[in-house]
Amino acid sequence: MKLIDGKKIAETIRQEIAGEVKRITGAGGKVPHLAAILVGDDPASETYVNNKAKACKEVGFDSSTYRFPADVQQEELLEAVDFINRDPEIDGLIVQLPLPSHIDNQKVIQQILPEKDVDGFHPVNVGRMTIGLPSYVSATPHGIMELIMRSGIQTRGRHCVVLGRSNIVGKPMSLLMARNEEPGNATVTVCHSKTQNLKEITSAADILIVAIGQPEFVTADMVKEGAVVIDVGIHRVPSAKTKSGFRLIGDVRFDEVAQKASRITPVPGGVGPMTIVSLLLNTLKASKKEIY
Ligand code: GUN
């Protein structure tokens, strides 16, 4: 078994981005700029947005955060999105999710100009990705495709099983793996909570992508000898062995599945570190007007 080291690959990409920023600004070009809208004071969202700002700084991007109280009116958020849409200094905009329940997520996402939608959540970007046009791809599937590409994993003609069908992971993942481009060209099966004979299907996978959201759901008996296993899950569980009192685990029972897999992503240090890097790559593309 060989680990797919997401931490190391993410660091390599960050260095590549930093080099590109130096080249652009050295030639008199504009510094890429990512804006985030943060509503309320959810600590997890606060951490995500802070991490994104920190990552921007590390590669030489500008970033700004627009904060709103949890009781903000939807109209005010839509106006803020319009304001950022019109600002030529800002290349990319993300609205940190989840939003408070009185706000219509889709309404806010659809207010973002597709050319600034570096989260790839706008239906125009989702639709373009679906029909194979250049688009922003959302952070997790984008990061997984980078991991696969940079690890030299062959996907062409292989059987890829995707566990999970969410809009932000399972669904785009299955489309990307099946696309007529490489990485891609895989034969894809999508499994979900209503799938029958799940073990039979996952055991036939050459590449198994797990985004089911249940701790250690995938066990060794569900995996074919020599398969590539990508674990998208991340769960915090109590642990007596760590100073913090908890540890992180994935959707895959790592110790036993690692015995059978040819390649596997660890948790933490696999898919996770790739997600912020994907957002940086999308912001760089936005600033270079590569997609639109
Ligand atoms: N909340 C959790 N993940 C994400 C993400 O990738 N983008 C946004 N905007 N919000 C999130």
Side-chain angles (χ1 to χ4, degrees):
M1 180 278 293
K2 242 176 104 185
L3 270 190
I4 300 173
D5 189 344
K7 204 170 157 200
K8 194 163 147 198
I9 295 172
E11 178 53 32
T12 304
I13 298 174
R14 272 200 298 273
Q15 284 172 10
E16 289 171 10
I17 297 172
E20 179 74 358
V21 173
K22 280 210 180 88
R23 195 193 59 73
I24 292 170
T25 52
K30 184 189 151 314
V31 175
H33 188 153
L34 174 68
I37 290 181
L38 176 60
V39 181
D41 45 20
D42 171 50
S45 291
E46 189 89 34
T47 304
Y48 281 134
V49 169
N50 287 341
N51 287 343
K52 286 166 191 173
K54 209 170 116 211
C56 281
K57 195 159 180 221
E58 277 168 16
V59 297
F61 288 4
D62 284 335
S63 74
S64 40
T65 305
Y66 293 76
R67 291 169 186 271
F68 294 89
D71 62 355
V72 65
Q73 291 300 304
Q74 179 165 297
E75 202 48 44
E76 196 182 336
L77 276 188
L78 297 177
E79 279 166 19
V81 171
D82 280 340
F83 179 78
I84 296 168
N85 280 344
R86 285 193 301 268
D87 186 341
E89 273 303 307
I90 296 176
D91 303 294
L93 166 63
I94 60 162
V95 177
Q96 186 64 33
L97 303 176
L99 290 170
S101 55
H102 68 283
I103 308 273
D104 179 347
N105 284 4
Q106 272 305 319
K107 189 114 190 168
V108 177
I109 287 168
Q110 290 181 34
Q111 195 79 4
I112 303 172
L113 279 178
E115 50 266 50
K116 294 198 178 187
D117 167 44
V118 286
D119 253 336
F121 290 168
H122 193 293
V124 167
N125 279 311
V126 177
R128 287 174 65 103
M129 190 264 291
T130 304
I131 60 173
L133 287 175
S135 65
Y136 296 113
V137 174
S138 59
T140 304
H142 184 288
I144 293 171
M145 293 310 277
E146 282 289 333
L147 276 185
I148 287 174
M149 190 169 68
R150 290 179 183 248
S151 307
I153 292 162
Q154 295 303 309
T155 56
R156 185 192 185 103
R158 300 182 80 191
H159 186 194
C160 173
V161 173
V162 180
L163 255 181
R165 57 177 161 185
S166 71
N167 283 340
I168 61 170
V169 186
K171 207 179 283 177
M173 217 45 248
S174 61
L175 289 163
L176 291 167
M177 290 300 279
R179 70 185 176 178
N180 186 7
E181 193 181 316
E182 280 173 46
N185 282 317
T187 303
V188 178
T189 305
V190 181
C191 300
H192 47 76
S193 56
K194 312 292 184 302
T195 298
Q196 292 180 353
N197 309 323
L198 185 67
K199 193 167 123 182
E200 221 168 86
I201 300 168
T202 58
S203 300
D206 299 311
I207 302 168
L208 181 60
I209 300 175
V210 189
I212 196 106
Q214 291 187 44
E216 298 187 329
F217 180 85
V218 171
T219 46
D221 58 331
M222 297 169 74
V223 178
K224 181 163 84 174
E225 192 75 43
V228 173
V229 179
I230 310 276
D231 187 352
V232 184
I234 185 150
H235 312 273
R236 217 183 215 229
V237 292
S239 168
K241 289 192 190 143
T242 62
K243 223 162 81 183
S244 61
F246 70 87
R247 66 189 177 102
L248 296 174
I249 59 171
D251 286 355
V252 174
R253 196 170 291 172
F254 182 85
D255 292 346
E256 59 178 63
V257 173
Q259 309 284 326
K260 282 180 108 176
S262 61
R263 313 288 303 269
I264 186 167
T265 58
V267 177
V271 174
M274 295 299 293
T275 56
I276 286 190
V277 158
S278 300
L279 185 64
L280 297 175
L281 283 171
N282 279 348
T283 305
L284 184 62
K285 281 184 192 158
S287 81
K288 290 163 82 177
K289 311 230 178 304
E290 265 180 29
I291 310 264
Y292 293 94

